[in-house]
């Protein structure tokens, strides 16, 4: 399972929100490029960037910071937040972003999602942010009547490469992911799912690892790696490629060797 560090951008700074509440933001670093490099040094193979200003306004705001990060790191970068038309998606992909994450338009303009999947195959992801099973839109400021499960299946049929599932009530809380919702989502989905929100410990990651056979291929980790509750390096060693249980330990000349 891929452990994916999150970098949330607000006013050009690296922040974390509590349950998506813009009034409860905490600045962790004013230099997001330095943060990105730090996660790469600890073994990250993919970065999850969110333009929080963009999610709120509906247009890319932190483009300069995003481009600086893409140019500074040698790994894949995915970006979401405010991508509601073809131009904004194309702009990101043209500066080297590997995947564009759509959110609000998946609910409001599914035909646009289909067009983008055809134009940019394997480059389009959809972030489904759920509040009590219903999809939230416009930077989580509004909640639709659309079922998260139904939307995920619809997006898979339109050609989306992956679904990133966030339980808003768990996001930024360090209370653990919503395993039951993820299990239900992945069990009925023909494409991979990425878990997001609530990861607080290696135990949470091991719990998510149990869902890998169902299609949960990765976990986005935010607040926990900023507070130190989770060591990114240890997390990658624990559940990532070459994880502990898959690599026999060097026991030397002990009786177990």
């Amino acid at each position: 399972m891929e452990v994916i560090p999150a970098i949330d951008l607000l006013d050009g700074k690296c922040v974390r929100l509590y349950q998506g509440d813009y009034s409860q933001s905490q600045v962790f670093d004013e230099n997001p490029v330095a943060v990105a490099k730090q996660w790469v040094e600890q073994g990250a193979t993919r970065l999850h960037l969110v333009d929080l200003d963009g999610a709120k306004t509906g247009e890319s705001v932190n483009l300069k910071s995003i481009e600086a990060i893409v140019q500074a790191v040698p790994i894949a970068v995915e970006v979401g937040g405010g991508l509601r038309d073809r131009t904004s998606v194309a702009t990101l992909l043209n500066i080297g972003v590997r995947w564009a994450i759509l959110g609000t338009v998946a609910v409001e303009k599914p035909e646009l999602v289909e067009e983008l999947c055809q134009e940019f195959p394997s480059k389009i992801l959809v972030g489904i942010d759920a509040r009590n099973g219903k999809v939230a839109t416009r930077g989580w400021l509004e909640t639709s009547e659309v079922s998260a499960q139904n939307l995920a299946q619809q997006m898979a049929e339109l050609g989306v490469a992956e679904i990133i599932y966030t339980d808003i009530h768990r996001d930024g809380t360090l209370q653990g992911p919503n395993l039951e919702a993820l299990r239900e989502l992945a069990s009925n989905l023909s494409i991979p799912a990425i878990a997001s929100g609530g990861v607080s410990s290696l135990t949470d990651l091991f719990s998510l690892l149990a869902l890998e056979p169902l299609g949960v291929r990765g976990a986005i980790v935010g607040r926990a790696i900023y507070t130190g509750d989770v060591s990114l390096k240890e997390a990658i060693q624990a559940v990532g490629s070459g994880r502990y249980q898959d690599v026999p330990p060097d026991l030397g000349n002990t009786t177990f060797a």
Side-chain angles (χ1 to χ4, degrees):
M1 173 174 286
E2 198 165 19
V3 181
I4 309 166
I7 298 177
D8 288 0
L9 300 168
L10 188 65
D11 295 327
K13 302 172 184 177
C14 177
V15 308
R16 298 302 299 167
L17 303 184
Y18 181 83
Q19 293 185 341
D21 187 347
Y22 284 76
S23 68
Q24 298 189 64
S25 66
Q26 180 179 359
V27 176
F28 278 99
D29 202 302
E30 297 196 0
N31 186 348
V33 173
V35 174
K37 289 181 176 179
Q38 176 186 344
W39 299 146
V40 172
E41 289 169 0
Q42 293 188 27
T45 55
R46 173 174 173 177
L47 293 178
H48 177 80
L49 271 56
V50 179
D51 184 342
L52 291 174
D53 298 290
K56 197 173 184 179
T57 64
E59 56 186 35
S60 296
V61 175
N62 290 284
L63 197 58
K64 287 186 178 179
S65 295
I66 293 168
E67 186 170 12
I69 290 172
V70 170
Q71 293 177 349
V73 300
I75 63 174
V77 175
E78 63 190 32
V79 177
L83 304 183
R84 297 176 195 167
D85 55 45
R86 182 202 173 277
T87 300
S88 59
V89 170
T91 297
L92 283 180
L93 296 178
N94 286 337
I95 64 172
V97 169
R98 178 75 63 85
W99 297 285
I101 307 168
L102 306 181
T104 297
V105 296
V107 174
E108 298 181 357
K109 299 179 182 178
E111 68 280 358
L112 176 60
V113 178
E114 184 174 22
E115 292 170 6
L116 291 170
C117 287
Q118 292 175 355
E119 183 175 358
F120 306 109
S122 303
K123 299 283 188 179
I124 305 298
L125 313 183
V126 162
I128 295 181
D129 307 320
R131 185 182 280 118
N132 298 322
K134 301 294 185 181
V135 179
T137 61
R138 300 187 176 274
W140 298 358
L141 299 177
E142 300 178 13
T143 303
S144 71
E145 290 302 312
V146 178
S147 158
Q149 298 289 335
N150 292 343
L151 182 63
Q153 292 173 26
Q154 179 189 13
M155 292 300 107
E157 292 170 1
L158 294 181
V160 167
E162 290 177 348
I163 296 294
I164 298 174
Y165 180 83
T166 303
D167 186 300
I168 293 174
H169 288 305
R170 304 296 181 101
D171 190 70
T173 66
L174 300 179
Q175 294 180 356
N178 188 332
L179 296 174
E180 287 309 307
L182 279 163
R183 181 185 300 277
E184 183 180 357
L185 182 91
S187 297
N188 295 289
L189 204 56
S190 59
I191 59 175
I194 304 295
S196 175
V199 171
S200 64
S201 64
L202 286 182
T203 300
D204 288 336
L205 289 171
F206 283 126
S207 296
L208 287 171
L209 188 61
L211 302 181
E212 188 180 32
L214 298 177
V216 180
R217 302 287 175 79
I220 294 170
V221 186
R223 182 175 293 272
I225 57 174
Y226 289 93
T227 59
D229 289 278
V230 171
S231 159
L232 178 62
K233 185 175 181 179
E234 290 181 2
I236 292 169
Q237 290 174 330
V239 301
S241 177
R243 54 186 178 247
Y244 292 143
Q245 61 267 47
D246 292 340
V247 180
D250 182 1
L251 299 175
N253 294 320
T254 71
T255 55
F256 296 101

